[in-house]
Amino acid sequence: MSNIFLIGFMGTGKSTIAETLKRKYDMQIVDMDAEIEKEQKMVISDIFATKGEEYFRDLETQLIKDLQKKDNVVVSCGGGAVLRDENVTEMRKSGKVVLLNATPETILQRVKNSHNRPLLEGNKNVDFIRELMSKREDKYNAAAEITVSVDNRDVDEIADEVYRKVFK
Ligand code: S3P
């Protein structure tokens, strides 16, 4: 029960906070997107383009199941990993699910110069982000056992709060 699953919308800083938890608290990390890319030998946008989103979602489910075997790991989840209830059930079996929350404005600042998120390509504006976020809101909130806000805060502060709330 000692893993941490960082969930939340694209650009909330899940990977960065996982790196910070590794540096400060000596935890191991698994970055779901990076793991899938390594295993498929393809970047996420190519997986979406050639195999489709459902195929990618199946890879996410399989990876989350495989993570059951790990311990003391911070998993930075893909932003859509909680869309399947089955995935959340699996996460809870081996760890705490922590939601990172940010406003659409913060998200836009963080994602505007990157091109590795197929769902945001051509949609990098606050209205689109707000809309997709509100469609997913119930899933994020239902999955979360702990919620941490990331707006206008530095990574050390956020990572400390995550750690404290998980292991208190
Ligand atoms: C997705 C989020 C991405 C990646 C894929 C789909 C989503 O991960 O898994 O592009 O559906 O929200 P990040 O949240 O790490 O950007």
Side-chain angles (χ1 to χ4, degrees), residues 29-45:
I29 56 175
V30 172
D31 185 309
M32 281 186 57
D33 288 347
E35 207 64 30
I36 288 173
E37 288 185 336
K38 193 165 71 184
E39 192 223 11
Q40 295 289 303
K41 299 183 181 63
M42 225 191 276
V43 294
I44 303 286
S45 43

Side-chain angles (χ1 to χ4, degrees), residues 5 7 64 77 81-82 87-95 97:
F5 291 88
I7 63 162
I64 290 166
C77 296
V82 298
N87 294 355
V88 178
T89 305
E90 291 298 320
M91 289 177 197
R92 288 191 171 183
K93 282 186 195 165
S94 73
V97 182

Side-chain angles (χ1 to χ4, degrees), residues 8-11 14-15 33 44 48 53 56-57 60 77-80 83 116-119 136 140:
F9 203 79
M10 293 169 268
K14 300 175 295 274
S15 304
D33 288 347
I44 303 286
F48 268 67
E53 181 169 347
F56 174 75
R57 299 298 175 201
E60 286 190 313
C77 296
L83 297 178
N116 57 356
R117 295 182 176 96
L119 299 178
R136 291 180 168 187
Y140 286 130

